[in-house]
Amino acid sequence: GESVGLHLPTLSVQEGDNSIINCAYSNSASDYFIWYKQESGKGPQFIIDIRSNMDKRQGQRVTVLLNKTVKHLSLQIAATQPGDSAVYFCAENSGYSTLTFGKGTMLLVSP
Amino acid sequence: EAQVTQNPRYLITVTGKKLTVTCSQNMNHEYMSWYRQDPGLGLRQIYYSMNVEVTDKGDVPEGYKVSRKEKRNFPLILESPSPNQTSLYFCASSLSGQGRAEQFFGPGTRLTVL
């Protein structure tokens, strides 16, 4: 079957580099954002979230930055590893119960 | 192990033959949701459920039905499948339906309708 990775923007990096994946969201009323990682053949997996009252949040090797002025979200991965190769989605919540997902970026990490 | 399970994982069927994809979670989550994932379109929500007996349409509900008779189960029903429903389907659940909570995804069901 056709891979969900087709038609996606792709970021190619070398192992050990830092990666930055960007996401533009659409709704200025969105107040909660999540980054998901989807490996081939698996469901999306939560990485990190951030609320709109924050500009930055750090996890283990990952940092999410939120710029509400330009409706932009980024995910920074430090010291990228081959196991980080996946499709990354941002999602925004602007209502009671619905997450709206971006189309995703494929990250390819070369050893 | 806390998880969301889906069955079947792969299904090939023919137009018009009713089918059900099951979804079950063991985390006592209130909120459950179905998505379809298509190349170039990302994840789109089909239906969601805030709790038992409470369901609502997502962005692409046409051609689908759901039910939530028990908290743990949220089956997706295609009464008369058509080829444009060929897709990768994911079930997800979260503790609360307020949207500001991590959604846990199942492994996916790849459906082909001939």
Side-chain angles (χ1 to χ4, degrees), chain A residues 2-4 6-7 31-32 34 36 38 41-44 46 51 89 93 95-99 101 103, chain B residues 9 31 35 37 39-43 45 48 50 88 90 97-103 105-107 110:
Chain A
E2 196 173 6
S3 166
V4 297
L6 291 178
H7 315 297
D31 60 359
Y32 177 65
I34 307 179
Y36 281 89
Q38 186 177 19
K42 296 184 179 179
F46 174 92
R51 297 184 189 280
F89 295 95
N93 171 260
Y96 187 66
S97 55
T98 300
L99 280 177
F101 287 82
K103 295 189 174 35
Chain B
R9 294 290 314 278
Y31 179 89
Y35 296 87
Q37 186 174 40
L41 297 176
L43 280 158
Q45 191 177 49
Y48 63 94
M50 301 293 287
L88 180 58
F90 289 102
Q98 292 185 347
R100 293 160 188 81
E102 176 186 353
Q103 288 193 26
F105 283 80
R110 185 166 291 282

Side-chain angles (χ1 to χ4, degrees), chain B residues 1-2 7 11 19-20 46 48 77 99:
Chain B
E1 181 189 353
N7 280 291
L11 179 61
L19 67 92
T20 299
I46 303 170
Y48 63 94
I77 303 153

